[in-house]
Each structure stands twice: as C-alpha cells, then as structure tokens.
Amino acid sequence: MRYSLIYGGLAGAIIIAVTLVVFFSGVTGLGHGSMLFGYLVMLVALSMIFVGVKRYRDVECGGVIRFGRAFGLGLGMALVAALIYILGWEIYLSATGWDFMADYQAQMLADMEANGASAQEIADTRETMAIWGERYRSLLWRVPITFSEIFPVGLIVALVSAALLRNPRILPPQRPGATA
C-alpha cells in the first residue's frame, strides 16, 4: 500500500504539474497535438509504476516477484495516479471557472471548418457536442470520463512492468559495494 501511495502519488503529481505548466503558459491549444502530448506526459509520468514495482521487488522481495503481485502493485499505483489526476483536474476547473467543453467544442468545429467539412457535418457535430457539453457539467459524468483518459495508460504500464520485472535477471538489484 505504501508503495502504491508513494509512486502512484508521484506519477499523478508529475502529470498535474506538467498539465498546469502547459495550461498556464498557453503553449498548446486543444487540438490533436496537445492530446498526443498529454498522453506522452502520462506515459512518462506513469513510468513511476515501473520504478515502484522494481523498488518493491528489490527491497521487499529480495529481487524476486511474481507476476500477480507485481501487477496488483502496479494497478494500485495506477489507481492512485488516476485519483490524483482527477482531483487535480477538478480543482483546476473549479479554481479557473474554465468551461473546458465550450473551448474544446469551439476548437473542434474550427478544425472541421479548416479541413473543409460540409455544413451538415459541422451542424451534426455541433449538435452532438452540445449534448456532450451538457453532460460534462455533471461531476458524475465528468469523473469517469477523466478516469478513462489516464487509467488505461496506467493499466498498460502496470502490465508491462509486471511482465518484465517478474524476471529477476531484468535490472537485478545491485549488491552493496558493487561497482557498475
């Protein structure tokens, strides 16, 4: 549990910190490039799952860990990171009064117009986005959506970490006094 809180907490904090820096600096908009950047940040930050599972394997388990135990630990870290991400997002939205969906809708429609979408396609998208925008105002709708952004990435990192680290020959623990 302690490892899940520490390494999951670090991963979540890294994601929130980078997200806030990007939003407050105005470096990126809401287009596809920013989505790619966001998932890259998540992947890099969630690499703390690998670090945490390896540390647990080396310190608590004497350098050997079974897949199930490693995967469970990684899932715990992913859950903590996701909860921190959700909490950070909710605090940010509340503190700034930012209507994320309105900005997202405007960007999506502008992109469609720039790419030559028909008036009917734009009207259909505007109607669909209006429904999504209304739903997004509800905390009970927004939290699962936010969770679904990050948790699958954490799940994949936990799975890969468990698969790799169950082999004690992968990044074996260093003996005290050993030189590299």
Side-chain angles (χ1 to χ4, degrees):
M1 180 68 158
R2 185 181 84 204
Y3 282 85
S4 293
L5 292 174
I6 292 169
Y7 290 95
L10 285 171
I14 291 167
I15 294 166
I16 290 301
V18 172
T19 301
L20 290 176
V21 166
V22 168
F23 280 149
F24 286 125
S25 69
V27 170
T28 185
L30 297 170
H32 294 293
S34 67
M35 190 183 326
L36 217 55
F37 176 75
Y39 279 107
L40 180 61
V41 168
M42 286 181 196
L43 184 61
V44 169
L46 289 168
S47 68
M48 293 305 295
I49 292 172
F50 183 88
V51 173
V53 172
K54 182 183 180 328
R55 176 108 173 127
Y56 180 82
R57 178 193 76 174
D58 295 350
V59 172
E60 305 295 330
C61 301
V64 179
I65 192 168
R66 292 189 179 272
F67 176 84
R69 185 178 224 178
F71 185 58
L73 182 61
L75 278 179
M77 292 175 197
L79 280 170
V80 169
L83 291 174
I84 289 173
Y85 177 71
I86 291 166
L87 185 63
W89 181 248
E90 288 300 318
I91 290 170
Y92 177 76
L93 287 177
S94 177
T96 62
W98 186 37
D99 189 359
F100 169 77
M101 266 313 218
D103 292 347
Y104 183 72
Q105 291 168 4
Q107 182 67 48
M108 181 179 256
L109 294 172
D111 289 348
M112 288 180 75
E113 287 175 9
N115 291 327
S118 72
Q120 184 60 47
E121 288 174 320
I122 292 172
D124 291 346
T125 300
R126 180 173 285 130
E127 186 177 321
T128 301
M129 292 301 291
I131 293 167
W132 274 85
E134 193 58 40
R135 289 178 181 166
Y136 198 75
R137 293 185 202 287
S138 166
L139 183 67
L140 295 175
W141 179 267
R142 192 172 52 248
V143 167
I145 295 293
T146 307
F147 180 81
S148 72
E149 292 171 7
I150 187 171
F151 188 72
V153 180
L155 181 67
I156 291 168
V157 173
L159 187 64
V160 170
S161 298
L164 291 174
L165 293 172
R166 69 184 171 87
N167 183 345
R169 292 178 297 214
I170 294 182
L171 297 172
Q174 296 293 315
R175 295 185 315 253
T179 57

